[in-house]
């Protein structure tokens, strides 16, 4: 069983890389994108049920999902940072009155 899982990971690594390359230049470093894609591929291998269809159509959902989750996390961090800046500006204005 483990051997089959490893073979799936090796066979679909190029697919994971191609998906990651679609997100290049959008705010996440390339090496991190590649890592996220491989993480998504490993999660797909772990959760795959052969009775539900082919792995080639199943894996991209996990790969894209892992990358998308990171974009959402980064956006939330950016929003928190912006909100903190607004609070600081508002606080400074309030104290200066």
């Amino acid at each position: 069983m483990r051997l089959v899982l490893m073979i799936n990971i090796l066979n679909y690594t190029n697919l994971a890389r191609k998906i990651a390359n679609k997100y290049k230049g959008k705010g996440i470093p390339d090496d991190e994108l590649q890592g996220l894609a491989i993480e998504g591929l490993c999660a797909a291998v772990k959760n795959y049920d052969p009775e539900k269809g082919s792995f080639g159509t199943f894996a991209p959902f996990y790969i894209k999902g892992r990358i998308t989750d990171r974009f959402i996390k980064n956006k939330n961090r950016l929003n928190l940072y912006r909100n903190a800046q607004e609070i600081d500006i508002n606080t400074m204005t309030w104290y200066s009155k």
Side-chain angles (χ1 to χ4, degrees):
M1 181 68 170
R2 280 190 133 186
L3 181 62
V4 173
L5 296 177
M6 291 302 295
I7 290 171
N8 270 342
I9 290 172
L10 293 174
N11 287 339
Y12 287 94
T13 300
N14 286 334
L15 172 68
R17 288 186 177 143
K18 284 180 186 178
I19 292 171
N21 287 337
K22 291 180 182 180
Y23 295 92
K24 276 188 174 182
K26 297 187 177 181
I28 296 178
D30 295 345
D31 58 340
E32 188 174 348
L33 282 172
Q34 297 296 326
L36 290 168
I38 297 300
E39 285 179 19
L41 179 61
C42 291
V45 167
K46 181 180 176 183
N47 295 308
Y48 176 61
D49 181 6
E51 295 176 3
K52 293 187 178 181
S54 74
F55 186 76
T57 57
F58 180 77
F61 290 104
Y62 275 85
I63 297 167
K64 291 175 187 176
R66 188 62 58 115
I67 293 171
T68 303
D69 286 347
R70 181 58 52 95
F71 277 107
I72 291 169
K73 271 187 180 177
N74 285 354
K75 182 181 176 195
N76 288 340
R77 285 183 193 151
L78 183 59
N79 287 340
L80 286 173
Y81 176 73
R82 286 183 181 156
N83 289 340
Q85 281 184 328
E86 289 174 11
I87 291 169
D88 287 343
I89 292 169
N90 292 337
T91 305
M92 289 171 59
T93 306
W94 182 75
Y95 282 121
S96 65
K97 287 183 179 179

